[in-house]
Amino acid sequence: MANKDTKKTKKEKEQKSAEKLNLAQCSNAACGAGSGKERKLTGEKIKVTINDKELEVDKGLTILEAARKHNIHIPSLCYHEDLCVAGICRVCVVEIEGERTLKTACTYVVDRPIKIKTSSEKVRKARKFVLELMLANHFGECYSCFRNLNCELQKLAQEYGIDQLRFGHVTTPRYKVDKSSYAVVRDKDKCILCKRCIRTCVDLQEVGVLEAANRGIDTKVQTFFDKPLAEVVCINCGQCINRCPTSALRANDPTEQVWEAIDDPNKIVIIQTAPSPRAAIGELFGLPAGTSVTKKLNTALRMLGFDKVFDTNFTADLTIMEEGTEFLTRVKEVLVNKNKKVKLPMFTSCCPGWVKYAEHFYPEILDNLSTCKSPQQMFGAILKTYYAEKTGVDPAKIVTVALMPCSAKKFECNRPEMKSSGYKDVDYGLTTRELAQMIKEAGINLPELTESDFDHPLGLGSGAGLIFGATGGVMEAALRTVYEIVTGREVPFKNLDIMPVRGMEWIREAVIKFEKVKPEYKFLEGAEVKIAVAHGTANAKKIVDEILAGRGFWHFIEIMACPGGCLGGGGQPIPTNLEIREARARAIYSEDEALALRKSHENPEILQIYKEYFGEPNSHKAHKLLHTHYTPRGRY
Amino acid sequence: MLIDSKKQILFSEFTPGYGLSIALKMSPEKIIDIMIRSTLRGRGGAGFPTGLKWQATAKAQKTPKYIVCNADEGEPGTFKDRILLSDYSEKLFEGMTIAGKAVGSNKGIVYLRGEYRYLLKKLDKVLNRLRKIGYLGKNILNSGFDFDIEIVLGSGAYICGEETALIESLEGNRGEARNKPPFPTDEGYLGCPTVVNNVETFSYVPYIINKGADWFMEIGTEKSKGSKLFSISGDVKFPGVYELPFGVSIAEILELVGARDTKAVQVGGASGICISKKDFDKPLAFESLPPGGSIIVFNKSRDMLKVLKNFIEFFVEESCGQCTPCREGNYRLLEAVEKLERGECSINYLKVLRKLAESMKYTSKCGLGQTSPNAFLSIIDNFKGEILARPKKVND
Ligand SMILES: Cc1cc2nc3c(=O)[nH]c(=O)nc-3n(C[C@H](O)[C@H](O)[C@H](O)COP(=O)(O)O)c2cc1C
Ligand code: SF4
Ligand code: SF4
Ligand code: SF4
Ligand code: SF4
Ligand code: FES
C-alpha cells in the first residue's frame, strides 16, 4: 500500500486518544471504513435533540455513542466497539433535520446542535428494508445454526418484526464451507458483509488474512487468492469469530469426538481447565461478566463424564519454573558468557496465536521465543507420561481434553511436533463456547451446581498460574518467581500485585532492579531488567519492529495475541468488548488475591513433580517433554 | 434556432494565463468571493456551489491542502470532459492553479479515467509547456506562489468517480466511498483538506476570474447560472458535445440534434432520470431537471424495459458492494426487471420495489446507491403503460 507510512504514524498518534474512546481508529479503507475524524473529547457539550428530547452530549461522540450513553437504543450491525467504524450495513440510519439523506449514527460525529429522529417512519422502513435485503441473501435457518439466540442478525430481524421475506430467501448453499483450519471455520453463506472480521484481522490484529473481494452482489470476504484458511497466514486467534455478528465464522468444533471418547468405556478422558474460560463461561448461563465459576464447573465436568478434572494453572506454574529458569540462563549466557547464540530479549511462548504470528512475520526472532511449550501442551505431555506411570494406566487409553478460551490452541495441539510423549499431547481443544454447549445439552444448569475441587495431583495451581489468563499475567507470575529465586526476597510490590504490568493499555513497560542478590546470581547485582507486555498482535508488531529497528530494548517480553490476553480469546463467549474483558480480568485478579498460594515455586505439587520426575527445571527430561521448537513460515 | 448559441463560455475566446495573472494579484478571499458571487455550481453531477467548496477548504486548518480534478468521467454516455481534456486542457490546469491560490494549496492532481490513458502524453506535454512559460511550478509568474500538477491514472471502476472513492483510490486503496461527513474539504486526500472538482467546473474558472461573475451570470436561469456542456447521444442525427445555457428545454435540444420520434430522454446519464414527452418542455436546470453531463435520446422503436435493464445492470456491476441497500437493492431491482420481462412481476411486488427504490435513495452510503434507483423509478413511473402492457403470467 502506497501510504503505509502515513497510515501508520497517524494510527500511532491516534492510539492514545482512541483508547480513551475504546475505539480503534483508522483512516484507511482496508476495511471500507473511510475517514474517521481524529476525535478527541474536549469536554465541550453540545445540545442535541433526539426524538424531541433535549440532551447535552459530548462534542466529538458519534450519534450512536451519544445515544447509548443516554440509553436511547439505535440498532447497529457493522459497528463494533473494538473496531474502527465502517458505516456500511446502514442499519443504524437516523434522520437528521435538514439532511437530504438518512445518516448512519455510527459514523456521524456530533459537532454542532442537531435534531435527530431515531425511529421515524422513514427510518423504520429503511432499516426493515436493509434487514430484509440481508436476509434475502442469507442462506441458513436459525434453528440449525450455532448462533441461534446469540445472533445479531436474528435479533434485529426479531426487533423489526420481520415476518416475511418479500425479496425471497436463498434456499441452497452457494459456497463451500471452509473447514481446512483446525481453528476457524468459514461459512460464507451466512456472511452479511459487515466486514467486522476484516477490520479485526487487518486493523485490530494487523494480520491481514481477510479482505473484501469483487464488487456489487459478488462481493465477498476472501483470503489471499481465496485459498483455504489453513494455507494462509491466519494465526488462528479467532478474534474475527468473536466479532462476527452471525455464524459465518465459528471455531472448528471437536465436541462430537469428545462425546465419543466420554462414551467409550475403554478411554480415560481427562480435562484440564484454563482460568479464562472459568471466568467467562458463566456469561453463557446468564451470569454477569466477571463471575468466576471454577468449582461449579468441576462439578459439571464430572457430571458430563470426564474421568479427571485438572487445573491448567498447575502447568502454568510449571511453565513459570521452566521459563523463569530459561530466562535466567539466557541472561547469564548473554551477559557473562557472551554467548552469541543465545538471544535476548526473550519472548513468552504460551500463546499459540503469537507463536504462529512470529513464525509467519518474524522468523528472524524465533530464537528469541522461549522454548517452553504452553501450559496446555505441558499438561498433555505430563498426563501421558508422568501421570500415566504414576497411576499405572496405559497412556494410549488416555484422552486429553483442554478447556481453553482460545481457538489457536486447537491448532497448537495438532502441531506435528507436539508428540514428545509418544502420543498426541493434547487430543482435543474445547473452547468455552463449545463446553457450554455440551453442558446445556446434558441439561445441566451450571450456576445452580454445588462446588467441587480439582483432582490431585496436578490439580493444584497458584494464583500466579491463574493470572496467566489476563494480559500481563505471565509476566507478573514470572517476576514473582524469578525475583525471589535471584534475591531470596519477595518481589517488591505491595501484596505481590505488580500493578505496572496490569491493565488494558496495549503496551506496558516496567523496569525491575535486582539488588542484594544471592551469591549464585552475582552477575545480576544492580541489574535493571526491562520488561514489556503487549496484547493484540498489532501491538506485538510495534514492539518487534522497535527491536528490529534497534530503537527498543527489553530483556523479557510477554505477548498475547488476543486483546485482553486469554480472557479475550477467540473461544470465549460472544459478544466481547472492553467492559466485558475488564470484568473477566477483575474476576481473575480477585481470585488470585484470595488464594494463599500465589507463587509458582511454592506450589507443593510442582515441587513434587520435580522431585519425582523432572529433577530440576530445564533438565534433560524437562526439555524433552516441556519444551518445543518453531518453524519459520512464509508470509503467503 | 431557439438557442442563443452566440453566448458561449467554455468555447469562447481564451487567452491562456490571463485569468491566472489576474488571480495571482488577488487575495485568496477575493478569488473565493468572486467564485461565490458567480454561483458556479459543480458540473460533476451533484451541483455543489464551487465557491463554497473552496471557502470550506480554505478555512480548514490542516495542511497541506490538495486540488484534485475529477477526470474519471465514467457515466455512460458522457464524453464532455474528454473533449476538454484533449483540446482545452490549459483552461483546466489554469482553473486548478487558481483554485490552489484560493485555498492555499501547492499541489494539484488530475485523476484521469483509465480509458483516457491515451491522453496522458498530450496532457503531460501541456503541463511541461506551462511549466516552461512559468504558469506552473515554482514562483508562478513571479508571484511567489508555487503550484504543480500531477496526473494519476484511474483504476477503471465507475465508483472511483465518486469523490471520496476517488481519494481512496488515489491513496492506493480499493475504490470505496467514505462516510460523509467528514467531507473532503476537511479530510480528503491523505486526511488533508481537498478540493475535488470536475474537469468542466475548473475550466470555467479562468473565464470567471477574467471576465467577472456578472459576465458569467448573464445567461442561465434563476438558480443555475452560466452554461453547461452536454454529451448528447442515442437516437439523434448529430450526436456530440454541446455547450448550452441552463434553462434550455429538452424539446429545444431534441430539435438541435435532429432527434425524430423521440419517446424518452435520459437526462443525467445512468444515474439520472428518464423523462417522457410530457416533460420535454421542462428546462434543464438544477432546480427542475438536473442535467448531469449527458443526454441520451430514445426513439419510439426502443423497448423501455430493455433500456431500464441496461441501466440497472450497469449499477449491479458497478456498485462497490460495501453497503447493503446498494449492493443488495440494485440486485433485487434487476431481478424485478427480469421478472417484468417474463411477465412474472405482480403489481404488488412492483409496489414493494418502488418503496425499496425510494428507500435506497436515502439509505445508501454514497451517490451511486442514492441515484441508481432514479432510472428504475422514472421509467416505471413514466412508461408504466408500456411496461405493464407486456404479457403477464402472474397477477395478484
Ligand atoms: C458514482 C459516482 C460517480 C461519479 N463520477 C464522477 C465523474 O466521473 N466525474 C466527476 O466529475 N464527478 C463524478 N461524480 C461526482 C463527484 O462525487 C463529485 O461530486 C464531483 O467530482 C465534485 O465536483 P464538482 O463539484 O465540480 O461537480 C460521481 C459521483 C458518484 C456518486
Ligand atoms: S446466522 Fe443468525 S440469522 Fe443466520 S441462520 Fe444463524 S442464527 Fe439465523
Ligand atoms: S483467526 Fe485471527 S488471524 Fe485468522 S482470520 Fe481470524 S482474525 Fe485473522
Ligand atoms: S464473516 Fe462475519 S464478520 Fe465477516 S463480514 Fe461476514 S458476517 Fe461480518
Ligand atoms: S452506495 Fe453502492 S457504491 Fe456507494 S458505498 Fe454503497 S455499495 Fe458502494
Ligand atoms: S452500524 Fe452503522 S452502518 Fe452499520
Side-chain angles (χ1 to χ4, degrees):
Chain A
M1 239 171 274
N3 63 324
K4 197 102 204 186
D5 285 338
T6 32
K7 222 169 76 188
K8 211 181 116 201
T9 45
K10 184 156 185 212
K11 238 179 156 158
E12 272 162 10
K13 265 194 301 191
E14 281 168 353
Q15 169 95 18
K16 275 266 166 310
S17 60
E19 252 171 34
K20 287 205 182 72
L21 274 166
N22 178 23
L23 189 89
Q25 290 265 340
C26 79
S27 65
N28 69 86
C31 49
S35 172
K37 261 204 163 115
E38 273 182 56
R39 296 192 288 129
K40 279 184 202 86
L41 300 188
T42 55
E44 196 183 328
K45 300 274 181 191
I46 288 195
K47 276 207 172 64
V48 165
T49 313
I50 304 186
N51 305 337
D52 299 327
K53 213 166 119 191
E54 269 213 17
L55 300 170
E56 296 242 308
V57 311
D58 281 304
K59 180 176 175 173
L61 287 183
T62 61
I63 293 177
L64 188 68
E65 289 162 339
R68 291 196 173 166
K69 260 197 165 166
H70 289 90
N71 284 324
I72 296 166
H73 175 65
I74 296 174
S76 65
L77 205 43
C78 68
Y79 170 81
H80 192 286
E81 285 158 86
D82 290 336
L83 306 173
C84 56
V85 286
I88 54 176
C89 74
R90 318 303 287 177
V91 152
C92 69
V93 285
V94 295
E95 203 171 333
I96 297 176
E97 202 177 272
E99 296 277 8
R100 182 177 52 89
T101 57
L102 299 178
K103 296 288 170 194
T104 39
C106 67
T107 67
Y108 199 103
V109 175
V110 181
D111 58 1
R112 65 195 161 86
I114 43 174
K115 287 194 169 139
I116 305 163
K117 287 210 157 63
T118 66
S119 180
S120 63
E121 186 196 356
K122 214 173 176 182
V123 167
R124 285 193 318 270
K125 288 203 166 136
R127 288 183 189 154
K128 207 162 174 166
F129 273 130
V130 165
L131 289 168
E132 269 189 79
L133 286 173
M134 277 180 187
L135 288 165
N137 209 0
H138 179 78
F139 170 74
E141 305 286 2
C142 298
Y143 48 75
S144 57
C145 178
F146 98 103
R147 290 294 293 270
N148 193 9
L149 301 184
N150 182 20
C151 168
E152 293 180 44
L153 178 62
Q154 185 190 44
K155 189 162 165 267
L156 284 177
Q158 194 225 28
E159 198 172 305
Y160 282 84
I162 308 282
D163 55 1
Q164 54 171 337
L165 295 169
R166 288 177 291 179
F167 308 116
H169 186 50
V170 198
T171 49
T172 46
R174 292 152 299 171
Y175 302 105
K176 236 181 91 189
V177 178
D178 179 0
K179 291 184 182 166
S180 64
S181 158
Y182 285 115
V184 183
V185 175
R186 293 182 64 220
D187 181 357
K188 287 197 277 251
D189 272 314
K190 301 276 196 314
C191 175
I192 54 164
L193 297 170
C194 69
K195 295 193 188 170
R196 270 154 56 159
C197 54
I198 299 180
R199 282 173 284 150
T200 302
C201 196
V202 174
D203 296 312
L204 186 68
Q205 293 293 70
E206 287 195 29
V207 182
V209 168
L210 303 171
E211 60 187 12
N214 306 339
R215 298 197 158 264
I217 196 73
D218 299 321
T219 306
K220 58 180 179 173
V221 176
Q222 190 172 289
T223 57
F224 187 64
F225 274 117
D226 213 4
K227 285 195 203 166
L229 209 50
E231 292 172 27
V232 293
V233 295
C234 173
I235 62 164
N236 306 308
C237 66
Q239 289 304 306
C240 51
I241 302 177
N242 287 16
R243 288 171 185 79
C244 177
T246 70
S247 69
L249 290 165
R250 61 179 304 184
N252 201 336
D253 184 352
T255 308
E256 270 318 302
Q257 290 98 301
V258 173
W259 278 126
E260 260 172 47
I262 288 176
D263 292 339
D264 184 342
N266 292 317
K267 298 279 188 218
I268 299 164
V269 188
I270 302 178
I271 190 163
Q272 50 163 316
T273 72
S276 295
R278 307 186 314 224
I281 197 167
E283 292 162 33
L284 296 169
F285 292 88
L287 297 175
T291 316
S292 202
V293 293
T294 310
K295 292 190 168 177
K296 290 183 177 178
L297 190 62
N298 288 345
T299 310
L301 291 168
R302 292 194 175 95
M303 288 167 77
L304 287 180
F306 287 100
D307 297 300
K308 294 284 174 199
V309 183
F310 289 134
D311 189 349
T312 308
N313 296 355
F314 171 77
T315 37
D317 286 336
L318 195 59
T319 302
I320 290 301
M321 299 305 289
E322 293 295 321
E323 198 165 289
T325 309
E326 179 187 351
F327 175 65
L328 289 172
T329 310
R330 279 189 191 236
V331 173
K332 188 168 180 186
E333 283 299 311
V334 171
L335 294 186
V336 183
N337 301 338
K338 312 274 178 229
N339 185 343
K340 288 252 149 55
K341 276 197 204 129
V342 174
K343 297 278 163 60
L344 279 180
M346 184 175 90
F347 288 93
T348 57
S349 59
C350 35
C351 169
W354 154 238
V355 167
K356 191 154 184 265
Y357 185 80
E359 288 178 331
H360 281 300
F361 296 98
Y362 295 105
E364 63 269 44
I365 65 155
L366 290 180
D367 286 340
N368 293 67
L369 262 60
S370 161
T371 57
C372 288
K373 285 183 183 173
S374 68
Q376 158 177 290
Q377 293 305 124
M378 286 194 184
F379 219 121
I382 59 175
L383 282 175
K384 293 192 177 176
T385 54
Y386 169 71
Y387 182 80
E389 282 169 36
K390 201 174 161 76
T391 53
V393 296
D394 177 1
K397 285 190 173 171
I398 298 181
V399 175
T400 52
V401 180
L403 169 62
M404 292 291 145
C406 179
S407 48
K409 297 265 184 222
K410 291 171 184 281
F411 172 82
E412 184 187 30
C413 73
N414 284 298
R415 279 175 174 259
E417 66 271 24
M418 293 293 179
K419 282 187 184 140
S420 50
S421 59
Y423 302 91
K424 207 173 157 207
D425 290 348
V426 172
D427 292 290
Y428 304 111
L430 275 184
T431 63
T432 314
R433 297 187 296 264
E434 287 151 4
L435 182 71
Q437 185 58 43
M438 289 177 75
I439 294 174
K440 286 183 182 172
E441 202 176 328
I444 299 167
N445 187 9
L446 183 68
E448 282 178 359
L449 298 183
T450 51
E451 303 194 332
S452 66
D453 230 322
F454 287 105
D455 289 299
H456 292 281
L458 316 185
L460 184 62
S462 74
L466 179 86
I467 58 174
F468 265 54
T471 165
V474 177
M475 183 57 73
E476 181 165 349
L479 290 176
R480 285 184 194 171
T481 289
V482 168
Y483 191 87
E484 204 163 321
I485 288 179
V486 172
T487 66
R489 300 182 309 277
E490 280 193 344
V491 77
F493 286 88
K494 193 175 156 225
N495 199 21
L496 293 178
D497 296 341
I498 309 181
M499 298 315 281
V501 300
R502 295 192 185 178
M504 290 294 167
E505 214 168 299
W506 290 123
I507 294 174
R508 310 184 291 284
E509 296 175 78
V511 178
I512 310 286
K513 194 163 182 186
F514 287 83
E515 279 169 317
K516 289 188 244 156
V517 299
K518 288 191 196 162
E520 59 268 41
Y521 293 105
K522 229 177 69 200
F523 64 95
L524 277 175
E525 182 59 47
E528 295 195 331
V529 174
K530 295 179 75 179
I531 55 152
V533 170
H535 56 131
T537 35
N539 305 298
K541 181 174 191 285
K542 286 196 186 103
I543 289 208
V544 180
D545 286 344
E546 282 293 294
I547 294 170
L548 293 181
R551 286 191 299 263
F553 182 79
W554 298 271
H555 295 94
F556 192 10
I557 301 169
E558 177 203 296
I559 307 276
M560 292 292 157
C562 294
C566 300
L567 55 82
Q572 290 282 66
I574 301 169
T576 185
N577 60 38
L578 184 62
E579 205 180 310
I580 292 175
R581 294 192 292 274
E582 281 178 338
R584 292 175 189 160
R586 276 195 302 277
I588 287 176
Y589 284 118
S590 51
E591 225 183 307
D592 164 45
E593 218 178 282
L595 286 176
L597 177 61
R598 296 185 65 203
K599 300 175 206 159
S600 302
H601 57 279
E602 288 178 357
N603 182 341
E605 291 188 3
I606 289 289
L607 300 175
Q608 184 186 355
I609 199 173
Y610 276 113
K611 199 164 134 218
E612 290 179 9
Y613 199 67
F614 289 119
E616 56 180 12
N618 293 3
S619 68
H620 182 70
K621 204 166 192 175
H623 258 290
K624 181 163 178 280
L625 291 177
L626 307 179
H627 291 250
T628 184
H629 57 269
Y630 307 106
T631 318
R633 298 168 199 261
R635 284 188 180 218
Y636 301 101
Chain B
M1 176 71 16
L2 292 156
I3 295 163
D4 174 15
S5 38
K6 270 175 287 169
K7 172 76 190 201
Q8 285 185 320
I9 298 175
L10 273 187
F11 292 153
S12 71
E13 201 191 321
F14 178 75
T15 321
Y18 236 77
L20 178 64
S21 60
I22 297 173
L24 288 176
K25 289 189 198 104
M26 290 178 179
S27 68
E29 294 76 23
K30 177 80 187 161
I31 301 173
I32 289 173
D33 182 57
I34 295 175
M35 291 305 295
I36 291 178
R37 274 201 301 117
S38 77
T39 69
L40 172 67
R41 295 173 69 162
R43 303 303 200 230
F48 191 83
T50 306
L52 294 181
K53 189 181 272 186
W54 292 14
Q55 189 176 48
T57 313
K59 278 188 182 158
Q61 298 293 317
K62 216 164 159 184
T63 51
K65 298 179 182 181
Y66 295 96
I67 305 295
V68 172
C69 170
N70 189 341
D72 196 47
E73 195 164 56
E75 191 78 48
T78 312
F79 38 91
K80 60 167 186 85
D81 292 344
R82 187 179 66 201
I83 297 209
L84 291 175
L85 286 161
S86 108
D87 299 342
Y88 305 97
S89 59
E90 316 91 333
K91 301 179 192 180
L92 157 68
F93 295 146
E94 195 166 324
M96 290 176 72
T97 312
I98 294 171
K101 167 80 181 172
V103 308
S105 160
N106 308 107
K107 169 119 184 122
I109 301 168
V110 176
Y111 186 86
L112 185 66
R113 178 178 185 185
E115 285 87 337
Y116 293 172
R117 173 189 296 271
Y118 70 94
L119 289 173
L120 201 56
K121 240 193 186 153
K122 200 165 171 185
L123 291 168
D124 269 331
K125 233 166 144 180
V126 175
L127 285 177
N128 275 332
R129 200 180 68 235
L130 293 176
R131 282 182 198 115
K132 220 175 262 161
I133 57 176
Y135 286 9
L136 268 184
K138 290 248 172 282
N139 192 15
I140 296 173
L141 297 175
N142 282 322
S143 65
F145 174 63
D146 305 338
F147 192 79
D148 213 331
I149 295 173
E150 178 194 357
I151 300 173
V152 176
L153 269 181
S155 69
Y158 170 59
I159 183 62
C160 291
E162 196 282 333
E163 53 187 4
T164 59
L166 182 154
I167 289 169
E168 284 295 331
S169 171
L170 274 181
E171 291 182 4
N173 299 325
R174 201 176 133 95
E176 286 184 347
R178 293 177 176 177
N179 293 294
K180 289 194 264 189
F183 293 93
T185 49
D186 283 323
E187 275 183 52
Y189 180 55
L190 302 177
C192 297
T194 304
V195 165
V196 184
N197 274 132
N198 173 253
V199 175
E200 185 185 341
T201 313
F202 279 125
S203 302
Y204 287 105
V205 173
Y207 286 103
I208 295 173
I209 296 298
N210 186 4
K211 302 194 180 172
D214 293 332
W215 174 83
F216 178 79
M217 292 166 76
E218 274 167 19
I219 53 172
T221 67
E222 185 68 33
K223 289 198 171 131
S224 314
K225 293 297 181 195
S227 58
K228 168 101 196 64
L229 294 190
F230 294 97
S231 319
I232 304 175
S233 61
D235 301 324
V236 301
K237 216 169 182 174
F238 313 109
V241 175
Y242 293 76
E243 179 176 352
L244 301 169
F246 276 112
V248 59
S249 74
I250 295 290
E252 288 168 316
I253 290 182
L254 290 176
E255 169 132 12
L256 178 70
V257 297
R260 286 268 165 105
D261 295 328
T262 303
K263 173 159 83 178
V265 178
Q266 178 81 10
V267 185
S271 58
I273 59 170
C274 195
I275 59 169
S276 61
K277 260 204 182 81
K278 69 175 168 33
D279 291 325
F280 285 0
D281 286 336
K282 278 200 181 163
L284 283 171
F286 288 109
E287 61 271 29
S288 68
L289 268 184
S294 94
I295 288 179
I296 309 170
V297 178
F298 302 102
N299 69 19
K300 65 176 186 202
S301 71
R302 302 282 166 175
D303 176 348
M304 290 317 288
L305 199 58
K306 276 223 176 82
V307 168
L308 173 57
K309 192 176 172 186
N310 269 332
F311 285 135
I312 301 186
E313 274 172 344
F314 173 76
F315 288 117
V316 168
E317 191 100 328
E318 296 296 338
S319 157
C320 82
Q322 273 193 93
C323 76
T324 319
C326 170
R327 179 187 65 235
E328 309 288 337
N330 280 310
Y331 179 73
R332 295 300 156 196
L333 295 186
L334 178 60
E335 209 179 52
V337 170
E338 286 163 353
K339 276 188 182 170
L340 281 166
E341 272 182 339
R342 297 192 303 268
E344 289 174 7
C345 186
S346 72
I347 301 279
N348 268 344
Y349 190 51
L350 203 56
K351 274 187 193 154
V352 171
L353 283 166
R354 246 202 126 274
K355 283 188 193 147
L356 169 68
E358 282 293 344
S359 180
M360 286 163 65
K361 280 168 73 169
Y362 48 76
T363 318
S364 296
K365 181 169 179 177
C366 84
L368 192 150
Q370 289 162 7
T371 56
S372 63
N374 286 341
F376 181 87
L377 287 168
S378 56
I379 291 179
I380 294 287
D381 288 354
N382 292 334
F383 302 92
K384 207 180 219 146
E386 178 185 333
I387 283 169
L388 292 180
R390 301 170 79 90
K392 268 185 224 118
K393 281 189 212 127
V394 186
N395 214 336
D396 63 7

